[in-house]
Amino acid sequence: MSSPEHEFRLTITPDDPGASERAKRLRDLGIGNLPDPEFDELAHELTVLTGAPYAMVNFIDEDHQYFAGLAAPTPGGANQAIAGAEEAPEVGREMDRDHGYCPHVVVRGKALVLGDVCDYPRFAGNPVVDKIGIRSYLGAPLIDDDGNTLGTVCVVDTETHDWGRPGLEIIKGMAEKVMDRIRERNAAERQADPYQG
């Protein structure tokens, strides 16, 4: 039986030994710290496919998360990442690393499906539940050809959501689509500058 101390440990952001290497890889690729119209389009596509009001293409370094791709309802649009159940807080494209569920996806290297975050003690205590009103989450890792997890694609809702197998297939398919775009960009840059390394 787990101790209260162990239960608390489950609710905080997981240790992420790959954070420094991932941040370096993102810098090398030139992604992760500016809004990206192409990733915004893919995030919007995710909201259409899943019916979730919010979607992100999220890159994570040692300290924070950055939504390079973002789809959110209007008003607020791309300037507001997540609206609360009652009052929409001013949330931009950047979020602390201890908020949300994407850091868990990055460390696990596997998709995460939470139809109701309150059903899972290790996730129900996350700050986004009370502060932002998140009730459901669906995310998949962005993994490059060397096995590095760069970030995630995800959708969130302020209502519970039965994602099911179709939702899982959609989010994994979008993760692969985002990685294809990153590979294409990287190849184009290397072709333009063969000495880039």
Side-chain angles (χ1 to χ4, degrees), residues 44-102:
H44 175 72
E45 185 179 332
L46 260 182
T47 64
V48 173
L49 291 171
T50 63
Y54 307 96
M56 296 89 168
V57 178
N58 185 14
F59 298 101
I60 304 174
D61 65 19
E62 298 99 331
D63 303 311
H64 75 291
Q65 307 176 61
Y66 189 81
F67 307 134
L70 175 63
T74 54
N79 294 322
Q80 182 175 304
I82 303 171
E86 295 176 4
E87 181 180 333
E90 292 297 322
V91 180
R93 287 184 181 260
E94 193 168 324
M95 192 162 70
D96 290 342
R97 205 179 73 81
D98 64 347
H99 284 54
Y101 308 104
C102 290

Side-chain angles (χ1 to χ4, degrees), residues 14-187:
D15 291 333
D16 186 1
S20 294
E21 182 60 31
R22 179 171 58 257
K24 179 183 181 303
R25 179 74 174 129
L26 289 171
R27 283 192 300 273
D28 291 346
L29 291 169
I31 57 175
N33 59 357
L34 292 171
D36 187 306
E38 190 172 22
F39 292 157
D40 282 346
E41 287 178 19
L42 293 176
H44 175 72
E45 185 179 332
L46 260 182
T47 64
V48 173
L49 291 171
T50 63
Y54 307 96
M56 296 89 168
V57 178
N58 185 14
F59 298 101
I60 304 174
D61 65 19
E62 298 99 331
D63 303 311
H64 75 291
Q65 307 176 61
Y66 189 81
F67 307 134
L70 175 63
T74 54
N79 294 322
Q80 182 175 304
I82 303 171
E86 295 176 4
E87 181 180 333
E90 292 297 322
V91 180
R93 287 184 181 260
E94 193 168 324
M95 192 162 70
D96 290 342
R97 205 179 73 81
D98 64 347
H99 284 54
Y101 308 104
C102 290
H104 293 271
V105 173
V106 166
V107 172
R108 289 162 40 112
K110 296 192 302 188
L112 179 62
V113 181
L114 302 172
D116 183 349
V117 299
C118 295
D119 287 343
Y120 304 89
R122 75 180 302 165
F123 299 120
N126 195 282
V128 296
V129 176
D130 293 328
K131 292 182 181 178
I132 304 175
I134 297 306
R135 284 298 300 276
S136 57
Y137 171 91
L138 176 66
L142 297 170
I143 302 175
D144 71 11
D145 294 335
D146 296 325
N148 301 306
T149 303
L150 305 178
T152 68
V153 292
C154 69
V155 293
V156 295
D157 204 334
T158 55
E159 306 289 335
T160 59
H161 201 114
D162 181 12
W163 306 110
R165 171 71 48 187
L168 183 61
E169 293 305 317
I170 288 169
I171 203 72
K172 289 167 76 174
M174 184 56 73
E176 192 53 43
K177 197 169 183 178
V178 170
M179 285 310 307
D180 284 344
R181 299 291 170 87
I182 291 172
R183 289 184 194 102
E184 288 165 10
R185 291 178 182 187
N186 194 33

